[in-house]
Amino acid sequence: MDELTREFLIESQEGLDRMERCLTELEARPQDAALIGDIFRSVHTIKGPLDSWASSGWKSWLTPEKICSACCAKAS
């Protein structure tokens, strides 16, 4: 695995961890705009490189579904 992909996967896992914490907190505070903003930023951080890679044809195999699946498999 090249360094760029490895770094992306590490940052994606961190973003997914942050989203999980925020979503759990959001159950208790559904109107908390800061939590919603944190969730949005995490998704956007993961999505951004995927869009760039897809449009360039590089790493087209790295889809959001595969990222989530890989992260879930790592967590189990």
Side-chain angles (χ1 to χ4, degrees), residues 13-37:
Q13 182 63 54
E14 291 168 356
L16 291 170
D17 291 343
R18 186 171 41 256
M19 281 191 291
E20 182 179 18
R21 285 191 306 275
C22 289
L23 287 168
T24 300
E25 291 178 34
L26 196 61
E27 289 182 62
R29 301 187 324 258
Q31 301 302 319
D32 191 327
L35 286 173
I36 294 168

Side-chain angles (χ1 to χ4, degrees), residues 11 25 29 43 46 70 72:
E11 289 179 10
E25 291 178 34
R29 301 187 324 258
V43 170
I46 293 169
C72 289

Side-chain angles (χ1 to χ4, degrees), residues 12-74:
S12 294
Q13 182 63 54
E14 291 168 356
L16 291 170
D17 291 343
R18 186 171 41 256
M19 281 191 291
E20 182 179 18
R21 285 191 306 275
C22 289
L23 287 168
T24 300
E25 291 178 34
L26 196 61
E27 289 182 62
R29 301 187 324 258
Q31 301 302 319
D32 191 327
L35 286 173
I36 294 168
D38 285 344
I39 294 165
F40 176 81
R41 280 187 293 283
S42 295
V43 170
H44 193 265
T45 298
I46 293 169
K47 182 183 170 296
L50 292 175
D51 286 343
S52 296
W53 288 344
S55 66
S56 71
W58 188 75
K59 301 292 187 196
S60 59
W61 55 268
L62 196 57
T63 64
E65 294 82 11
K66 288 182 181 176
I67 295 291
C68 291
S69 177
C71 290
C72 289
K74 182 179 175 186

